Amino acid sequence: MAGKSLGLVVLLLLAATAALGAGEPRGCEAVRKVFQLRQLGPLRGVPDSPRAGVDLQVCTSKNPTCCNKKMEERYQTAAKQDIQQVLQTSSATLKFLISRNAAAFQETFETLIRLAENHTSTLFCNVYRNMAAEAATRVQEFFTDVGLFIFGTDISTEEFVNRFFDNLFPVVYNHIINPGQTDISLEYAECLRMARRDIRPFGNIPKKVIGQMGRSLLPSRTFLQALNLGIEVINTTDHLHFSKDCSRALLRMQYCPHCQGLTLSKPCMGYCLNVIRGCLAYMAEVDLHWQEYIQSLEELSSAMHGTYDIEHVLLNFHSVVNDALIQAHVHGPELSEQVNKVCGPPVRKPAQSPSCSFDQNKDNEGLKMFSRDGEETLANRRKEFISHLRLYRAFYGGLADQLCGNELAAADGLPCWNGEDIVRSYTLRVVGSGIKAQFGNPEVKVKGTDPVINQIIDKLKHIIQLLQSKSFPKYDNWDLQQTGSGGSVDEQISGDCDDEDGCGGSGSGEVKRVMKITD
């Protein structure tokens, strides 16, 4: 009942305003109240009664007015601030969706890297304890490189994978291939490191790891970069620079009625669309690229699954390392002969007492975040995010309609402001969205392009190219053959398969973990 009464009051007020039209305001009290309520400036600058508006540049009228030049300037500032506030409010949910998920995915990747390092260090401590201390540094350096790559550093996966196995070879030679009572010298270790790629002590496994890491880390890196760019796009459009003609049009639409005492009026829908579509014409050019950006994110996300998923690759890396060590052990005598030909007989120095300094309990909290229930895998989290993001595909194309329909314009059937008077409906032509559609816009003149918007469009085009990159795998065709812990070493590790075979052993069995990311 109270709601109906309030609605009736508003209708009566608007009807009275419509009847008054754009004639001389009876007084300026309502204008003063709104001016004070909005904190637009000192109240002493607002007339007590209507006066001639000879100094006005936009809110001109042949009748006496409640505005002066100083008020008009303050109204123009307020009009631009109002539209920016409305823009930021309209994009707030979208911005939060992307920024929250960008942070969540980054945290997930950090946890995956930490746990993969944990698994690998645990392998050395439990199975190869005599070489664990020497291997620890190599493992730590490798996963540091993994993190640097995922989070945007310009390094090569091939380079850091090769560096890991290069640095691991002297340790493996010293403790598995040709163990002795003393350690090999630093010079001899350097010779082994340099010769690793020719001797190939780990068979084809380093080559396989290079493929796995590249095909799993690169999509995740690009996905994260794309989310961060999405935030940048929204931040850019939230703080759009308005042209002088747009600023004058906003002032005319939002505050010029106040000068005539019409503080309750709202613009007609068609009038509002012309003004806002004109002001947002440059922003509307983002629309097609934004739609393609979301579609490309969706396509990449749906492809990031299976054996080359980052979760699978990182959490099973310790199994691949174990396979590599088994390969070196099995072919130890042959490898010793090859090493002797290249580096000569081993030169040794006094051995240092090996110890495993790795705290296997240090990441228990991280491990608790992983479960086997399958409810919230990384792939599922991406799918959920994309399903929400898809709702905003047409965000930029329909923004002017959304602002006028939800915030700015008068409801259908109510008296409204057309830029000059209170009328029943707007009679001028209503233009479409985008720069080309603004030709003949009766309210706002749009010229040229906006360099800031052009720059953000170029960035969107670039990230779309990366998201659609042909270097990303077609995962469905590249399933690895998982052998588990059964079978012989020769069955698990074959040196004859090539890159596209996708063969790779898992000597310790597959480790499958899934992460729970809370909203």
Side-chain angles (χ1 to χ4, degrees):
M1 188 67 181
K4 290 182 179 179
S5 300
L6 180 60
L8 182 59
V9 170
V10 172
L11 286 172
L12 289 173
L13 285 169
L14 288 171
T17 301
L20 178 61
E24 177 182 343
R26 295 173 182 172
C28 298
E29 187 59 32
V31 178
R32 290 171 60 85
K33 285 183 178 178
V34 173
F35 197 85
Q36 184 179 34
L37 185 65
R38 291 292 315 276
Q39 298 180 330
L40 300 179
L43 197 57
R44 64 177 179 273
V46 183
D48 293 315
S49 59
R51 52 180 287 281
V54 292
D55 56 347
L56 298 179
Q57 296 182 346
V58 179
C59 300
T60 56
S61 173
K62 59 182 181 294
N63 298 312
T65 174
C66 288
C67 289
N68 53 45
K69 186 177 180 180
K70 201 69 177 175
M71 288 176 64
E72 192 178 53
E73 291 172 356
R74 293 186 181 275
Y75 278 146
Q76 182 152 318
T77 300
K80 288 193 290 185
Q81 290 175 345
D82 288 350
I83 195 68
Q84 282 193 330
Q85 180 63 47
V86 170
L87 282 172
Q88 290 169 22
T89 301
S90 67
S91 66
T93 305
L94 171 60
K95 184 177 178 179
F96 177 72
L97 172 68
I98 298 177
S99 59
R100 181 196 66 185
N101 278 277
F105 284 121
Q106 177 164 330
E107 183 181 356
T108 301
F109 294 150
E110 289 171 350
T111 304
L112 281 173
I113 293 167
R114 190 172 71 250
L115 293 178
E117 182 179 346
N118 181 307
H119 293 331
T120 309
S121 297
T122 300
L123 167 72
F124 281 102
C125 280
N126 290 348
V127 184
Y128 306 97
R129 193 173 184 84
N130 61 335
M131 58 188 287
E134 294 177 75
T137 303
R138 282 76 173 174
V139 171
Q140 185 178 20
E141 288 175 351
F142 174 79
F143 284 104
T144 297
D145 286 337
V146 169
L148 289 173
F149 180 84
I150 290 177
F151 300 127
T153 302
D154 188 18
I155 58 175
S156 161
T157 51
E158 180 177 1
E159 180 183 329
F160 70 71
V161 170
N162 274 326
R163 184 164 58 245
F164 171 74
F165 284 104
D166 289 348
N167 293 335
L168 187 63
F169 180 38
V171 182
V172 173
Y173 177 84
N174 194 40
H175 293 281
I176 293 180
I177 297 173
N178 190 6
Q181 297 298 317
T182 55
D183 292 337
I184 57 175
S185 67
L186 293 177
E187 293 78 8
Y188 198 79
E190 179 64 16
C191 180
L192 291 174
R193 193 183 69 79
M194 297 293 291
R196 194 275 303 174
R197 300 181 201 188
D198 293 326
I199 295 175
R200 300 178 73 243
F202 308 117
N204 211 34
I205 291 175
K207 189 177 179 181
K208 293 299 173 185
V209 174
I210 290 171
Q212 288 180 351
M213 288 293 166
R215 294 161 186 164
S216 65
L217 301 188
L218 182 57
S220 296
R221 166 191 170 116
T222 306
F223 188 82
L224 201 57
Q225 286 176 332
L227 297 194
N228 289 325
L229 178 61
I231 298 169
E232 183 182 346
V233 170
I234 298 167
N235 283 336
T236 300
T237 55
D238 273 355
H239 299 89
L240 189 68
H241 173 73
F242 297 110
S243 68
K244 183 178 180 180
D245 203 67
C246 165
S247 298
R248 291 165 68 92
L250 290 171
L251 165 61
R252 187 180 297 110
M253 182 179 80
Q254 293 289 80
Y255 287 101
C256 282
H258 290 217
C259 297
Q260 300 178 29
L262 307 175
T263 56
L264 293 175
S265 69
K266 278 193 168 188
C268 303
M269 177 60 77
Y271 174 48
C272 179
L273 288 173
N274 275 342
V275 172
I276 301 302
R277 284 175 178 172
C279 287
L280 303 187
Y282 303 128
M283 189 190 298
E285 297 298 308
V286 175
D287 177 49
L288 290 177
H289 307 286
W290 181 258
Q291 291 195 43
E292 190 175 3
Y293 160 80
I294 292 180
Q295 182 179 347
S296 300
L297 265 176
E298 182 175 0
E299 290 172 355
L300 176 62
S301 177
S302 64
M304 292 165 64
H305 65 82
T307 311
Y308 283 102
D309 178 71
I310 184 174
E311 190 175 2
H312 176 95
V313 170
L314 289 183
L315 292 182
N316 285 282
F317 178 71
H318 70 289
S319 296
V320 179
V321 171
N322 189 49
D323 290 342
L325 300 183
I326 294 173
Q327 171 97 344
H329 177 71
V330 169
H331 299 286
E334 303 165 28
L335 292 172
S336 289
E337 288 183 16
Q338 291 183 57
V339 168
N340 287 341
K341 291 177 182 178
V342 176
C343 298
V347 179
R348 297 188 176 274
K349 62 177 183 176
Q352 298 180 356
S353 301
S355 63
C356 179
S357 59
F358 171 67
D359 181 4
Q360 299 183 42
N361 297 316
K362 70 175 181 178
D363 275 333
N364 279 345
E365 289 303 313
L367 285 166
K368 289 177 183 178
M369 298 175 67
F370 279 66
S371 62
R372 293 179 180 271
D373 56 16
E375 291 179 0
E376 191 74 23
T377 64
L378 199 52
N380 287 343
R381 188 66 181 89
R382 282 193 302 264
K383 185 178 180 181
E384 179 188 353
F385 163 63
I386 293 296
S387 69
H388 286 99
L389 186 62
R390 195 184 299 120
L391 302 176
Y392 294 91
R393 284 187 63 177
F395 175 76
Y396 285 104
L399 189 54
D401 300 66
Q402 178 188 335
L403 297 185
C404 289
N406 297 344
E407 300 279 346
L408 302 175
D412 289 342
L414 290 181
C416 55
W417 173 256
N418 70 352
E420 295 179 355
D421 204 347
I422 293 294
V423 296
R424 288 293 177 185
S425 63
Y426 183 71
T427 57
L428 299 182
R429 171 175 172 258
V430 179
V431 300
S433 296
I435 294 176
K436 292 181 179 178
Q438 300 314 302
F439 180 76
N441 188 328
E443 309 300 341
V444 184
K445 288 183 175 61
V446 179
K447 301 176 183 178
T449 58
D450 185 327
V452 175
I453 293 296
N454 288 344
Q455 186 179 44
I456 208 69
I457 287 175
D458 286 342
K459 289 184 178 183
L460 276 172
K461 287 179 178 178
H462 177 66
I463 201 68
I464 288 167
Q465 286 183 336
L466 293 180
L467 290 168
Q468 297 175 348
S469 173
K470 293 181 179 179
S471 65
F472 290 159
K474 301 299 182 186
Y475 292 89
D476 292 337
N477 299 327
W478 287 7
D479 288 337
L480 284 178
Q481 298 174 355
Q482 298 299 320
T483 59
S485 57
S488 68
V489 172
D490 289 334
E491 288 174 332
Q492 292 182 36
I493 309 169
S494 170
D496 297 327
C497 58
D498 58 31
D499 274 349
E500 299 305 317
D501 289 335
C503 55
S506 180
S508 301
E510 180 186 355
V511 175
K512 180 64 178 174
R513 298 285 191 275
V514 291
M515 169 158 286
K516 179 76 174 177
I517 308 176
T518 56
D519 289 338

